[in-house]
Amino acid sequence: MIKKINLFILLLSIFSFALKAQEKLTLQDAITIAMQNNYDIKISQNEVKIAKNNANIGNAGMLPNLTATYSNGGSVQNTRQTPATGPDRVITGAKSTNNDLGADLNWTVFDGFSMFANYDRLKELQKQGELNARLAILTTIADVISAYYDVVRQQKLVVAADSAIDISVFREKIAKTKLQLGRGSKLDVLTAQVDYNTDTSSYLQQKNNLQVAKVRLNQLLVRNVNLTFSVDNDINIDQALVYSQLAELAEKQNPNVQNAFINQRVASLNLKSIKGARYPAVSLNSGYSRTNSTSPTGFNQKFAANGFTYGLTASLNIFNGFLQRQQERNAKIDIENSSLNLEKTKLDVSSQSLTAFQNYSTFLDLVKLEQRNVDIAKENLDITLAKYRLGSIAPIELREAQRNSINAQNRFIEMQFQAKLAEITLKEISGNINLSN
């Protein structure tokens, strides 16, 4: 068993050395890498470019349309013409040609202000694309921070599990020494070995949890998932958050609220565009054409013409089967729905913010409580270890003190992590994530 212990200590030393040789990844480094590599951010940025390309006066219908046409063709025919007097006129292989070249210009100069409403709608959609890109960035940063501190949590839990093994090794050594001196029993040694194996199993499982957490973080950073690294060993919690300030920020900056507001604005512009159909539409049109043709069988064997055309067209929708009224009614309902959705979103965000703050406050109190428990459990373990050395207590009491200490450490680490998650959630809801922690 001593050889196994020495081997395990050697493996721990190698593992510790490997950790030192690994890349040290800070939270700021992780966020920077994610901002450069994350797929969701890149996709949202491309969608912003599309929305920006679409937001132009041409797409809104404010610019004229100019179309050029060209055609060239002909025919070969066999003809027979029978005049009123005289013999038939027979032509074999009569070849006709036709060549047309032209350009047409059409410009709608007034359509009931619909084009202006469409242009404003396109600009709102561009703002919405930029907002969605910001939302993707906020979500990604929140996910990266959460994943980073999950790695920190798992790393701290590995250290806690490692300390449990140290105590089990010490306990097994004491049990063997007592057995050699005739003051102990084989049962104590076997029990110590079972507990040692149990702690080793917990340690190996915790190491696996750490590796899984690192894979998840590498995935978010869009880099090789096999890449090894170490992280900071502290979970820093911002304990100065004020609910009233966060609620005010959330109402102004929350991307979902802003998105709902833009949807309301788009619905209003859509109604304005539909109402434009009640006004007359006025278009200017002009064109140029040039035609050349030959026809051996026609009255004119050759024909050529070129020139300009121009005009003004005005149209007014007088009646279209009540479709205009129907479309306007539906657009008004869309406005009402968008207003209801805006209020619902505000309520949802307010509820999420209050819930997250309640969790945040509770976990902060639990962190303080578990910190005291860690101190108490550590003091209790130290006293129990001293008594165990003197042989004044049974091994089961030492094991219980050891379990209490490890459980207290694990709860303390877990409460720190949960408080950090609540902090991240609050800042994400308010649209105000601090990139440094």
Side-chain angles (χ1 to χ4, degrees):
M1 189 63 192
I2 295 177
K3 292 182 179 180
K4 291 183 179 180
I5 294 174
N6 292 335
L7 177 60
F8 186 77
I9 294 175
L10 177 61
L11 290 175
L12 282 178
S13 301
I14 295 174
F15 176 70
S16 301
F17 177 78
L19 280 178
K20 294 179 181 179
Q22 290 175 359
E23 168 201 3
K24 180 62 179 294
L25 181 68
T26 66
L27 177 58
Q28 188 60 54
D29 290 339
I31 293 174
T32 301
I33 294 171
M35 292 287 289
Q36 295 173 349
N37 298 343
N38 187 268
Y39 292 125
D40 290 335
I41 292 177
K42 288 183 177 181
I43 290 173
S44 65
Q45 289 173 342
N46 286 336
E47 290 175 347
V48 169
K49 293 177 182 178
I50 293 174
K52 186 176 181 181
N53 290 337
N54 289 337
N56 60 76
I57 58 176
N59 206 26
M62 295 182 179
L63 298 180
N65 295 322
L66 179 61
T67 305
T69 59
Y70 173 77
S71 65
N72 188 7
S75 64
V76 178
Q77 296 179 335
N78 298 322
T79 65
R80 177 185 292 273
Q81 297 177 350
T82 303
T85 60
D88 291 351
R89 182 186 177 192
V90 178
I91 301 177
T92 302
K95 184 177 182 181
S96 300
T97 62
N98 185 65
N99 187 294
D100 290 313
L101 174 66
D104 295 307
L105 175 69
N106 187 281
W107 189 3
T108 300
V109 294
F110 181 76
D111 63 350
F113 306 105
S114 293
M115 63 178 70
F116 299 101
N118 289 336
Y119 182 52
D120 290 339
R121 182 176 60 85
L122 291 172
K123 289 191 291 186
E124 291 296 327
L125 292 176
Q126 178 183 348
K127 292 178 183 178
Q128 193 171 54
E130 294 169 350
L131 181 61
N132 289 334
R134 179 170 171 265
L135 177 59
I137 291 173
L138 284 175
T139 301
T140 299
I141 291 175
D143 289 343
V144 168
I145 296 176
S146 300
Y148 183 89
Y149 280 106
D150 186 30
V151 175
V152 175
R153 173 182 65 156
Q154 302 298 343
Q155 188 170 273
K156 292 169 72 70
L157 289 174
V158 167
V159 174
D162 185 24
S163 65
I165 293 177
D166 291 339
I167 296 175
S168 294
V169 170
F170 171 77
R171 177 184 160 198
E172 184 180 1
K173 181 179 179 182
I174 295 294
K176 288 183 176 180
T177 301
K178 288 182 177 181
L179 179 62
Q180 292 173 355
L181 296 175
R183 297 172 53 192
S185 66
K186 182 66 174 179
L187 179 61
D188 289 344
V189 175
L190 293 176
T191 303
Q193 290 177 347
V194 169
D195 290 340
Y196 167 81
N197 291 336
T198 300
D199 292 339
T200 302
S201 175
S202 298
Y203 172 79
L204 294 176
Q205 292 178 50
Q206 192 54 55
K207 272 187 60 179
N208 180 69
N209 292 339
L210 174 60
Q211 295 306 316
V212 170
K214 288 184 176 182
V215 169
R216 169 59 179 159
L217 181 56
N218 280 332
Q219 180 186 7
L220 286 172
L221 302 186
V222 191
R223 61 181 192 171
N224 187 350
V225 294
N226 294 313
L227 191 62
T228 59
F229 58 91
S230 62
V231 296
D232 296 329
N233 201 40
D234 295 321
I235 300 179
N236 301 312
I237 305 170
D238 185 354
Q239 302 187 26
L241 299 182
V242 180
Y243 174 72
S244 59
Q245 296 176 355
L246 293 170
E248 184 179 355
L249 283 175
E251 188 170 351
K252 295 178 180 178
Q253 298 182 175
N254 182 272
N256 292 326
V257 173
Q258 292 180 322
N259 212 337
F261 178 78
I262 290 177
N263 286 334
Q264 184 185 46
R265 173 67 176 159
V266 169
S268 299
L269 291 170
N270 186 49
L271 175 60
K272 183 178 180 181
S273 177
I274 291 174
K275 283 186 174 180
R278 290 187 175 273
Y279 296 88
V282 181
S283 300
L284 300 177
N285 52 77
S286 179
Y288 171 81
S289 63
R290 180 175 180 177
T291 302
N292 290 287
S293 64
T294 61
S295 178
T297 61
F299 181 77
N300 296 317
Q301 293 188 353
K302 290 185 179 182
F303 177 80
N306 66 84
F308 290 92
T309 60
Y310 57 90
L312 182 146
T313 302
S315 62
L316 176 63
N317 176 28
I318 299 176
F319 180 74
N320 65 350
F322 302 111
L323 292 179
Q324 178 67 28
R325 184 176 64 179
Q326 173 187 320
Q327 291 174 356
E328 290 182 10
R329 286 177 176 176
N330 290 341
K332 290 178 181 178
I333 294 174
D334 284 340
I335 293 176
E336 181 181 358
N337 284 341
S338 64
S339 299
L340 293 173
N341 184 64
L342 175 59
E343 295 305 317
K344 177 181 180 298
T345 303
K346 287 182 178 180
L347 180 61
D348 291 343
V349 169
S350 177
S351 175
Q352 293 168 5
S353 181
L354 180 57
T355 301
F357 189 81
Q358 289 174 338
N359 291 336
Y360 167 78
S361 301
T362 300
F363 285 126
L364 283 183
D365 291 338
L366 288 172
V367 166
K368 296 175 183 178
L369 175 63
E370 295 301 338
Q371 175 66 74
R372 292 194 295 270
N373 283 339
V374 167
D375 295 337
I376 294 172
K378 183 178 183 301
E379 183 178 0
N380 179 60
L381 179 60
D382 290 341
I383 294 173
T384 305
L385 278 172
K387 290 184 177 181
Y388 183 74
R389 289 192 189 96
L390 298 175
S392 60
I393 61 173
I396 191 172
E397 294 183 56
L398 174 59
R399 182 61 176 174
E400 185 64 24
Q402 180 188 15
R403 286 176 178 170
N404 290 337
S405 178
I406 294 301
N407 290 338
Q409 291 183 55
N410 290 347
R411 288 197 307 271
F412 175 58
I413 295 169
E414 184 63 27
M415 291 306 103
Q416 283 184 308
F417 180 66
Q418 293 301 327
K420 188 64 183 180
L421 289 184
E423 173 204 326
I424 295 168
T425 301
L426 276 171
K427 292 181 177 180
E428 183 181 8
I429 292 173
S430 65
N432 190 37
I433 290 183
N434 186 352
L435 304 185
S436 62
N437 55 56

